[in-house]
Amino acid sequence: MTITIEIDGKKIKVEKNTTIIAAADKAGIPIPRFCYHKKLSIAANCRMCLVEVEKFNKPLPACATQVSDGMKVSTKSKIAVEAQQSVMEFLLINHPLDCPICDQGGECELQDTAVAFGGGQTRYQEEKRVVFNKNIGPLISTDMTRCIQCTRCVRFLQEVGGMMELGMVGRGEHSEITAYVDRSIQSELSGNIIDLCPVGALTSKPFRYKARTWELIRRTTFAHHDSLGSPLEAHIKQNKVIRMLPREEESINECWISDRDRFSYEGLNSEDRLQVPMIKEKGQWKESDWETALALVSEKLKHVVDHNGPEELGILISPQSSIEEGLLAKQISSTLKSPHIDHRIRQSDFSIKHQGSPWLGGRIDEIGHFDQYLLIGSNIRNEQPLLASRIRKAVNHGANLFIVNSIDADPLMTVSEKMIQAPHKLPYALAKILKSMTEIKGILKKDIKFIKADIEKVKTDKTSDAIAEHLMKNILAGKKNNTSLLLGQAAQEHPDYAIIYQLAFEISKLSQVTFALLPSYANSVGLHAINVLPEKDGLNARTMLEKKLKAYILLNIEPQLDASNAQLMENAIVSSDFTVALTSYNSKYLENVDVLLPISPFTESSGTIVNIEGRVQSYTAVTQPLGQSRPAWKVLRVLANHLDLKGFDYESSLDVKEARIKSNVQFISKELSNEIDITSDYKIRNTKPKQFSRIGEIHQYLIDPIVRRAPSLQTAIQKSKAHAKLHPLEMKTLRLKANDKIKVMQGNQWASLMVIEDITIPEGSIYIPSGIDETANLADIYGDITVQKIIPRGAS
């Protein structure tokens, strides 16, 4: 319902129940504020937005006052101006005069508001109070004497982050914002309180004292560390990215970014950056020039193709790579007649045939509007922090959340029902839900292509029955089912991915819910859509390694950290005749490679990624390439020229992109599909580990080479990343205590780790993280593993 109000003599039409401040913002009428934020609940505690409303005998807070038909508001009357000046004077009573050394200087809401709406002088002569700073972790620096108690940070962490990690203690002049005793902030979205803070109380610790805002060059780009593609603004000084901030895009990231996207820029300036081509001669690395290095690479690849056949060449591409890089690598592969190319380097089961590129199944901004969510194989806070915040908002407003996973990770929202099973039992858990659905009155079993000969053997339980009833409730009542089924990273990297997908797909079809995949990597959707996949007789990423080909091309990969089976990838590279790596970093995991070609990270290159909803996002370089590094698309194009391949005459990354995607295309659609054909019954593999199933989850701060080299992010997880975790009953069986050392074995490789007790790990499984140095020699991230207690020398 639309009503008419008047603000400063200007008549405007707004929706009923709109607040005065929202109506003024819509009309472009400025009202000062500190505590108000359009994405947070109303606190009305700063009082800076006081305005005069006709027929009221005192000023009212614009943020907490709803409009009514015919309301007349004045933001510039004597009463309003005096009220705002009084509040401003009150807020400045205890604020320190340290603007020259404050990191917020030049972009401070308090400075701007004081100049625009405050008085010209202070009447306060007494001593100002001092508030001691708090250590809340390696990402956020505190100067709490500057705090004006707007509580934006408190409300954000509770409402968007999902956990109350900050709060206000004390009363009156003694009130202050504080964290729990000896606790740092753990939220994966914590950096947003830096942007929210209207003063210099909360600032970026990595950016502290690096630059003034007016010294920075601002350029736009996109996040490359998950499949959301959040819009970013890179701040540049002396050709270095020294800060990343969010750009507001309601349909993607609203106005937030994850800590991973905010602080990973530190890795761009790492000492590990490879700046010149490197060639291995007699086991020693030697610097080279581009011409020599490319000539050697082309010579070696030609030799393999000519003497061993093109089927002995394999190309492995990081799923973080751009569309242009994928297209050129695919073109090289096709021209050389080598069918072996793949970007699915952490996947282990390739038996499922997709009709198109798996994707979210809808728009990102729709994900927060479902009534029910079924999360399968997903620690969503770790994989997709911003999607988790959208789902959290829906759950907080009454939506139901059901989880089927191999780890009982806290999503920081209410879970209605959950099934936590060891990885090898995950398919059976889904089978129980499907079986429970078939037992509900009115469901026909003949409509389901079910598990061959196993339907009667599947035994349901109360949890599977409860989830099934919720999924089918609307369908049986003849209503539309507003439910989203989301398949996460653990499901996609599972050795039984095909079975899990088929079961989830059947559940979605039977209950008529939206089926969504949650790709974890920046361009998984795009590379699949442009068919950076094996040809008809080609080998997938895993089989390429198992076959131990004669030559490999690696693009932006750290072998043992990025593979589904680190041991397999290392062995394949060692046994090859020649391997070339296009990489931004000189990594110890590339020691067995023959040539290193330095490529630029996304901030020093141009290209395109396609995000989780099929949105085409093009970006340009925000800084010049470091040293002699070059954009990967240029390196691939010139390599093709050295290989004497025709059709590689592109002048820019735009030329490469337009060979497949036109510039005016904002979304791809025909290439996207979660549909599969289930033409016959299928079976669940009866796998049982000798001792434990490994849960090889990779932490979000270890997902790619850039993030792994961001010191602040690594400090944030230093205490927990190299621990194995076991259920208390398994600890008791093995006679283990917290922080005992254990030997974990996979195949002929082993690692020594500290073990801790964790109730969230189901019996029959052990949590051993992947993507870290300590486990970089192990095999399958969701494979069979055995454990032995290490008894210290001299112990009885």
Side-chain angles (χ1 to χ4, degrees), residues 517-570:
L517 205 79
L518 298 176
S520 299
Y521 302 97
N523 204 22
S524 296
V525 173
L527 292 175
H528 199 296
I530 62 170
N531 199 35
V532 182
L533 299 166
E535 295 296 339
K536 184 179 178 182
D537 299 319
L539 305 177
N540 58 54
R542 187 182 181 90
T543 315
M544 267 189 245
L545 302 176
E546 290 174 340
K547 294 285 186 181
K548 295 183 178 178
L549 305 178
K550 295 291 183 181
Y552 294 97
I553 298 174
L554 308 180
L555 177 56
N556 201 26
I557 292 172
E558 288 188 278
Q560 287 97 305
L561 301 182
D562 291 325
S564 65
N565 186 318
Q567 188 182 130
L568 199 62
M569 184 170 273
E570 182 185 20

Side-chain angles (χ1 to χ4, degrees), residues 462-697:
K462 288 183 179 179
T463 306
S464 67
D465 289 343
I467 294 174
E469 286 173 12
H470 277 286
L471 292 176
M472 299 303 298
K473 181 173 59 177
N474 285 339
I475 297 301
L476 296 177
K479 300 177 182 176
K480 183 181 178 182
N481 203 347
N482 189 31
T483 301
S484 178
L485 184 154
L486 302 112
L487 215 58
Q489 184 176 5
Q492 295 165 53
E493 295 175 356
H494 196 283
D496 287 321
Y497 171 48
I499 295 298
I500 290 173
Y501 195 102
Q502 287 176 105
L503 287 164
F505 187 73
E506 296 245 43
I507 290 170
S508 72
K509 288 297 181 184
L510 196 59
S511 55
Q512 298 175 30
V513 306
T514 301
F515 187 97
L517 205 79
L518 298 176
S520 299
Y521 302 97
N523 204 22
S524 296
V525 173
L527 292 175
H528 199 296
I530 62 170
N531 199 35
V532 182
L533 299 166
E535 295 296 339
K536 184 179 178 182
D537 299 319
L539 305 177
N540 58 54
R542 187 182 181 90
T543 315
M544 267 189 245
L545 302 176
E546 290 174 340
K547 294 285 186 181
K548 295 183 178 178
L549 305 178
K550 295 291 183 181
Y552 294 97
I553 298 174
L554 308 180
L555 177 56
N556 201 26
I557 292 172
E558 288 188 278
Q560 287 97 305
L561 301 182
D562 291 325
S564 65
N565 186 318
Q567 188 182 130
L568 199 62
M569 184 170 273
E570 182 185 20
N571 292 342
I573 292 171
V574 169
S575 67
S576 71
D577 290 346
F578 181 76
T579 299
V580 55
L582 284 68
T583 175
S584 299
Y585 298 96
N586 195 345
S587 169
K588 64 182 179 182
Y589 296 110
L590 293 168
E591 276 300 311
N592 295 314
V593 170
D594 298 288
V595 177
L596 300 177
L597 300 179
I599 60 171
S600 308
F602 71 97
T603 52
E604 300 167 17
S605 180
S606 57
T608 304
I609 56 174
V610 177
N611 76 354
I612 198 171
E613 63 176 356
R615 185 188 294 257
V616 179
Q617 298 173 301
S618 292
Y619 57 93
T620 56
V622 299
T623 63
Q624 294 295 317
L626 187 63
Q628 294 183 36
S629 65
R630 295 291 180 265
W633 72 266
K634 281 189 178 180
V635 176
L636 289 168
R637 188 208 65 191
V638 177
L639 175 60
N641 297 150
H642 275 265
L643 288 166
D644 300 323
L645 305 181
K646 295 181 179 179
F648 290 85
D649 51 357
Y650 308 104
E651 295 293 329
S652 67
S653 61
L654 181 62
D655 292 343
V656 182
K657 173 195 170 186
E658 291 207 329
R660 183 63 184 262
I661 301 174
K662 297 303 177 186
S663 291
N664 61 353
V665 173
Q666 291 184 313
F667 289 90
I668 59 173
S669 54
K670 294 179 181 178
E671 298 88 348
L672 306 178
S673 177
N674 289 328
E675 293 289 322
I676 56 170
D677 295 319
I678 302 179
T679 56
S680 61
D681 291 343
Y682 47 92
K683 293 191 74 173
I684 293 179
R685 287 194 304 131
N686 187 21
T687 55
K688 191 174 182 182
K690 293 177 183 177
Q691 190 176 15
F692 293 113
S693 290
R694 178 184 174 187
I695 301 171
E697 182 180 63

Side-chain angles (χ1 to χ4, degrees), residues 336-353:
L336 289 174
K337 294 184 170 53
S338 169
H340 316 317
I341 183 170
D342 209 344
H343 69 276
R344 300 165 297 174
I345 53 177
R346 280 183 67 88
Q347 194 168 314
S348 57
D349 181 8
F350 300 86
S351 56
I352 192 167
K353 302 300 179 187

Side-chain angles (χ1 to χ4, degrees), residues 54 72 111 182 193 227 235 280 316 337 458 516 632 727:
E54 189 178 62
K72 292 185 178 180
Q111 283 181 335
D182 296 327
I193 66 177
S227 55
H235 289 185
K280 184 175 280 187
L316 293 168
K337 294 184 170 53
V458 175
H727 190 277

Side-chain angles (χ1 to χ4, degrees), residues 388-437:
S389 72
R390 287 184 182 268
I391 295 173
R392 186 176 297 120
K393 185 176 180 181
V395 170
N396 290 342
H397 285 84
N400 290 317
L401 174 64
F402 312 107
I403 291 177
V404 181
N405 200 12
S406 294
I407 181 171
D408 194 7
D410 185 2
L412 298 181
M413 50 187 132
T414 303
V415 180
S416 301
E417 299 284 351
K418 60 186 174 184
M419 299 176 74
I420 308 300
Q421 299 286 337
H424 64 280
K425 296 180 179 178
L426 202 58
Y428 192 79
L430 293 177
K432 288 201 288 186
I433 295 173
L434 191 52
K435 176 70 178 290
S436 292
M437 293 169 74

